[in-house]
Amino acid sequence: MDTVIVTGGRGASGRWVVDRLREDHEVVVVDRDHPGFGAEGVEDVDFRAADLTDRGAVRELVASVDPDAVVHWGAIPALGRHPEGTVFENNAIAAYNVLTAAGEAGARIVQASSDGAYGFFFADEELLPDELPVTEAHPRRPEDGYGLSKVAAEEVAAGIARRHGVQVASIRPSWIQEPGVYPCRDSDYTENLDAGAGNYWSYVDARDVATQVHAALTAEFAPDGGHEAFNCVAADNALGDPLEELLERYYGEVPEAGPGVDDDGGAYSVAKAADLLDWTPEHSWRDAADEAVPRPELVRD
C-alpha cells in the first residue's frame, strides 16, 4: 500500500481528505500539534508533529517517511484571524518547504490552493470575472496576503514540477462546507445578497474536495512531470437562483457568458477536472445541508 503524507490533516477539511485517502493508502498526518502520546490513529492513519515553516524539520520528516505522495493541506485558511503578512509568510513558506521536500523525495504532490488566487473575494473594490464560467486560465489578480500566498504556492508547485519531474496538482476550492453544517444556507447568508457576492455564491462539499484530491493523486495528467490547477466547486450556486440574475441584481451587469453557465449553476467551471481527473462534484446544498454525516474521527476511542 502506498504511503501518503497529508499536512493539515486534522483540520476541518483536511480530515475529510484523510478519511478518503486512507481507504487506499497508508496516511501520515502532519500537523503543528500531535494528538498526544498514546493516541492511536484509526486504521491506516499515523501522526507526526512539525512546524511547516521550519525547513529543516520538514525535509527531515519527509525524508524519513519517504512517501509515494504528499498532500499539502496545512495553511492559514483565510484572512481575519491573523495579520495579513503572517498569513502570506506562513502559507508561502510552508508551501515552499513541503513541496520542495516532496519533490526531492520524487513524490506526487497535491496542494490546497483556493479560488482566492483569482483575487475576487478580498479585493478592495468588488470585481466581476472577465467572463463566465471562470476557468483555470482566468488571470490571477489577488491584492491580499491570502490570495497572494496561493499564487506563490502555485508558482512554487510549477517550479518543483519542472525541477524534479513530478506531477503536481493545485486544488482551488471555494468555501468548503461540511455535510449537515452548511453556513451558506444560514438565513444571514441566504437573505443578504452581498454575503456571497465576493465569490459569486460558490461553495463545495468537503467530500467532493476529498474525492478531487484522491482523483488528482491517481490520475495520469502529467506522468512526465508538470503542474495543473483545478477548480473545485459545486455544480450549483448556494442560493439556487439563476446565476446571471443574481449577478445583475448585485453588480448591475453580467460578464460575457460562454458554454457551461446553466440556470442555477456556479460561476466556476469544473470542465478541466472532469476532463483530466474524471471528477465531477456529487453533492449539493439541497441534500447535504441537512445530511446527518458525522465528521471523520482520526483517533480511536
Side-chain angles (χ1 to χ4, degrees), residues 8-9 11-21 23 71 73 112 171 173-184 202-215 232-235 279-285 287-289 291 293-296:
S13 62
R15 62 183 53 233
W16 292 93
V17 172
V18 172
D19 192 56
R20 174 62 187 88
L21 294 183
E23 297 176 16
V71 175
W73 216 254
I171 308 298
S174 184
W175 200 17
I176 302 172
Q177 316 281 305
E178 295 185 77
V181 187
Y182 260 55
C184 71
S202 301
Y203 74 98
V204 65
D205 191 283
R207 293 166 293 180
D208 284 330
V209 174
T211 60
Q212 189 178 106
V213 171
H214 180 267
C232 185
V233 296
W279 175 92
T280 54
E282 296 182 358
H283 300 283
S284 166
W285 61 263
D287 300 314
E291 198 171 356
V293 179
R295 174 182 279 186

Side-chain angles (χ1 to χ4, degrees), residues 30-121:
V30 179
D31 255 307
R32 184 180 294 272
D33 298 315
H34 193 278
F37 291 106
E40 183 179 357
V42 296
E43 187 175 0
D44 295 320
V45 175
D46 196 7
F47 300 95
R48 301 286 191 278
D51 178 355
L52 300 181
T53 64
D54 184 332
R55 186 176 305 114
V58 171
R59 292 182 72 177
E60 180 181 345
L61 188 152
V62 173
S64 68
V65 174
D66 191 23
D68 299 283
V70 172
V71 175
H72 176 43
W73 216 254
I76 298 175
L79 297 179
R81 297 184 180 180
H82 302 80
E84 195 166 325
T86 299
V87 174
F88 177 81
E89 291 174 359
N90 179 88
N91 292 357
I93 292 171
Y96 178 84
N97 292 345
V98 174
L99 272 59
T100 297
E104 291 171 346
R108 285 194 174 195
I109 302 169
V110 175
Q111 72 163 338
S113 185
S114 168
D115 67 334
Y118 295 113
F120 305 132
F121 191 79

